[in-house]
Amino acid sequence: MEKTVFIIRGLPGSGKSDLAWMLWKTMGATICSADYYFYDGDEYDFDATRLGDAHAKCKEDFMHAINNGEEVIVVDNANTQYKEFEWYDLNAVHHGYLIRHIIVENRHGGVSPHDVPYSTIQKMRNRFEVIL
């Protein structure tokens, strides 16, 4: 398989992380996610004031995976707008990776495991960009 980066996109509760873990199990993918920054053991403790640091850490993990020559890398963030995943696209292409974007829809009625408020999900839905 050609070296590939999967950019997973979707609203909270859509199943992005479930898909990322399936790619890890079946393809040995390296997963990069801003959510990891908010875990302390098994406890998830989101703090909006640390969101910038979380995304910086995700980018650091991504570059580490690229520099290690990982075959399959998954970016597991909401990625609602192009500006949120453009950096990953540019770096993946620069390092010779094929890019696949996957939009995960929430047709199954999934609920955010991180208790993201409905009003926040609505704002994210309203700004979600589909690039054709």
Side-chain angles (χ1 to χ4, degrees), residues 7 30-38 50-66 73-79 84 87-88:
I7 308 284
T30 297
I31 303 172
C32 303
S33 176
D35 272 346
Y36 293 169
Y37 186 80
F38 298 106
R50 296 173 36 214
L51 194 54
D53 291 337
H55 281 284
K57 177 67 172 131
C58 185
K59 288 177 178 178
E60 180 183 316
D61 292 345
F62 181 81
M63 288 309 301
H64 182 76
I66 281 191
I73 304 169
V74 174
V75 179
D76 173 23
N77 294 324
N79 296 307
E84 296 172 359
W87 182 90
Y88 296 100

Side-chain angles (χ1 to χ4, degrees), residues 86 91 102 129:
E86 175 183 26
N91 279 284
I102 302 172
E129 295 175 347

Side-chain angles (χ1 to χ4, degrees), residues 100-121:
R100 296 285 187 230
H101 290 253
I102 302 172
I103 296 176
V104 182
E105 295 180 339
N106 189 354
R107 295 183 183 199
H108 58 282
V111 178
S112 168
H114 305 306
D115 298 321
V116 178
Y118 180 76
S119 61
T120 301
I121 294 173

Side-chain angles (χ1 to χ4, degrees), residues 11-62:
L11 299 176
S14 62
K16 296 180 305 294
S17 295
D18 289 341
L19 176 58
W21 284 106
M22 282 186 243
L23 291 169
W24 172 76
K25 282 182 184 176
T26 60
M27 303 175 86
T30 297
I31 303 172
C32 303
S33 176
D35 272 346
Y36 293 169
Y37 186 80
F38 298 106
Y39 277 98
D40 183 11
D42 289 338
E43 295 296 315
Y44 183 82
D45 184 23
F46 180 77
D47 177 352
T49 65
R50 296 173 36 214
L51 194 54
D53 291 337
H55 281 284
K57 177 67 172 131
C58 185
K59 288 177 178 178
E60 180 183 316
D61 292 345
F62 181 81

